[in-house]
Amino acid sequence: MIVNFTFIGLMAPVFTIFNQDFSVNTDKIPSYANYLLDSGIKGILVQERKILTEAWTSAVRNTSQHLMVQVGGAPFPDVVDLARHADTLGVDSILTLPELYFKPTKSQELISYLKFISAAAPNTPLLYYHHPSLSGVNIDMAEFLNEASHQVPNLKGVKYASNDLAVAHAALRAANGKYRIFIGSDHVIEPAFSVGFDSAIVASSNAFPRYSKEILQAVKDKQLERAIDLQQNLTKIMTTVTKFGSKVPGMKLAMNLFTPINVGLARPPLQNLNPHRIGEFRSTLEPLL
């Protein structure tokens, strides 16, 4: 079955909202969806599991945002089950990490894995999540897409979370340019958009959504100096966030401090910022915004 994938633009990999006991809070999801929509973010990437997928599915019925669900990073039977669940709900697309224990080392091994996921969600566009620094799987994406083009009909693109734009650009041109390549790094949005990319899934779209939106618009308007300035400032912001610790706890804290949405703390084993340093975090970051 041939499925269509038409989304172009900016998508936020949304944070899971936790209560103080780290139980999942779904009550705030409609407000989160509306905050992102008001900020110009028309796509949502959910990276948790069934309860959240169901809650976000309900929320985007009112906002008409594209809903992508990440199903990978789990044992194979669970990945297949999550793909089926997402397909049954009618989400707009699914994204999957590679197998993370028995890691694929060749394009065909990855393609064989994706065939099973595609078969479990035959009505839903499938994208691959290329994040070699975390997954440990670093298969050449252009080679992979060229080989997959006639083998996985539901495969529609890649979330490319690497700063290597030369390889990303080769992937963009693979298989006669049939695949959507989403830039997944906050640090290369401007250079990527300047050389022909048109879509991104970046963490900053949560706490600082105006940057990716304005960079994309500046490139479209051929205001390259403005795009470069925006990128340089966003890079400073993201570098500052990580100076205080891990990226996810820092970005969740930035959400809590600088947006109307409180997403709670990061879940163990991630370490949240010492409460005594929150004032320093705010005062250091605020002048950059």
Side-chain angles (χ1 to χ4, degrees):
M1 179 177 179
I2 297 176
V3 296
N4 293 319
F5 181 79
T6 59
F7 183 86
I8 297 174
L10 304 173
M11 192 176 297
V14 293
F15 295 112
T16 300
I17 305 173
F18 293 123
N19 299 309
Q20 288 188 341
D21 63 356
F22 294 111
S23 60
V24 175
N25 182 325
T26 59
D27 294 340
K28 295 180 181 179
I29 286 175
S31 296
Y32 197 169
N34 279 296
Y35 154 73
L36 290 172
L37 183 66
D38 291 344
S39 302
I41 306 300
K42 298 181 180 179
I44 304 294
L45 169 59
V46 178
Q47 304 188 75
E48 275 280 342
R49 302 313 187 192
K50 290 183 178 180
I51 292 175
L52 282 176
T53 298
E54 291 166 7
W56 276 102
T57 299
S58 178
V60 300
R61 289 194 188 106
N62 296 318
T63 62
S64 298
Q65 289 158 299
H66 181 103
L67 181 62
M68 181 184 291
V69 177
Q70 204 286 108
V71 300
F76 178 73
D78 295 336
V79 174
V80 171
D81 181 53
L82 290 167
R84 286 177 179 149
H85 177 256
D87 190 61
T88 300
L89 289 175
V91 305
D92 297 297
S93 57
I94 60 174
L95 175 73
T96 186
L97 289 160
E99 166 59 45
L100 299 180
Y101 189 81
F102 299 106
K103 302 178 189 294
T105 59
K106 299 177 181 178
S107 293
Q108 193 57 51
E109 292 173 355
L110 177 57
I111 291 167
S112 297
Y113 178 73
L114 294 180
K115 283 181 178 180
F116 286 101
I117 302 172
S118 177
N123 304 302
T124 309
L126 170 66
L127 290 90
Y128 172 65
Y129 191 173
H130 179 64
H131 200 330
S133 65
L134 290 183
S135 71
V137 176
N138 196 11
I139 292 170
D140 182 274
M141 283 294 97
E143 175 187 287
F144 157 69
L145 291 173
N146 281 322
E147 291 186 21
S149 62
H150 299 295
Q151 297 188 59
V152 189
N154 286 14
L155 183 66
K156 299 298 177 181
V158 173
K159 178 185 176 185
Y160 188 90
S162 168
N163 290 339
D164 191 337
L165 284 184
V167 177
H169 197 267
L172 186 67
R173 301 302 178 197
N176 296 317
K178 69 181 287 187
Y179 292 106
R180 177 84 55 223
I181 308 299
F182 287 86
I183 292 300
S185 170
D186 291 287
H187 298 276
V188 295
I189 300 171
E190 176 273 320
F193 287 169
S194 294
V195 296
F197 292 84
D198 57 15
S199 299
I201 304 174
V202 289
S204 63
S205 292
N206 289 284
F208 318 112
R210 80 172 184 89
Y211 281 93
S212 52
K213 178 184 175 184
E214 291 183 15
I215 291 170
L216 178 55
Q217 190 60 52
V219 172
K220 286 181 178 178
D221 295 341
K222 301 188 184 306
Q223 298 177 352
L224 295 186
E225 289 188 9
R226 172 168 168 72
I228 291 169
D229 288 343
L230 287 162
Q231 178 65 70
Q232 289 176 341
N233 207 62
L234 178 59
T235 299
K236 289 178 184 177
I237 290 169
M238 299 303 293
T239 300
T240 300
V241 167
T242 55
K243 281 181 179 178
F244 284 84
S246 299
K247 181 178 179 179
V248 170
M251 290 301 293
K252 292 195 83 171
L253 178 57
M255 282 282 292
N256 299 343
L257 293 175
F258 301 113
T259 81
I261 309 299
N262 189 311
V263 294
L265 298 173
R267 184 170 50 190
L270 294 172
Q271 297 293 308
N272 292 287
L273 187 65
N274 186 312
H276 298 293
R277 299 196 67 198
I278 291 177
E280 181 187 357
F281 179 90
R282 179 199 286 269
S283 61
T284 304
L285 201 56
E286 203 160 27
L288 299 175
L289 307 181

